[in-house]
Amino acid sequence: MSGKMCSGSSSSGSVVQAQKLVDQLQLEAGMERIKISLTAADLVRYCQEHRRSDPLLTGISASSNPFKDKKTCTLL
């Protein structure tokens, strides 16, 4: 008998889990989405507008680099 009780409780658990999944999928399906082509165009435009201040493109001067080693390594 205890086997039947366990299977009954696990099936109700799977029903609850399935209902949560359905609710999540319905929520995601109802979301308004932005077209990728518009987002990509915005990203390209932003990168072009800010390329002069991008340290990956222009580099960092040695005097203003906060990560530059302060001391050199000397071996005795």
Side-chain angles (χ1 to χ4, degrees), residues 9-25:
S9 64
S10 67
S11 67
S12 67
S14 64
V15 170
V16 170
Q17 187 178 9
Q19 184 60 46
K20 287 181 181 180
L21 179 62
V22 169
D23 292 342
Q24 179 65 32
L25 291 173

Side-chain angles (χ1 to χ4, degrees), residues 13-45:
S14 64
V15 170
V16 170
Q17 187 178 9
Q19 184 60 46
K20 287 181 181 180
L21 179 62
V22 169
D23 292 342
Q24 179 65 32
L25 291 173
Q26 286 176 341
L27 178 70
E28 291 177 16
M31 291 179 69
E32 185 177 337
R33 306 206 185 261
I34 300 171
K35 293 191 181 232
I36 292 175
S37 59
L38 296 176
T39 304
D42 288 343
L43 182 59
V44 168
R45 185 173 8 90

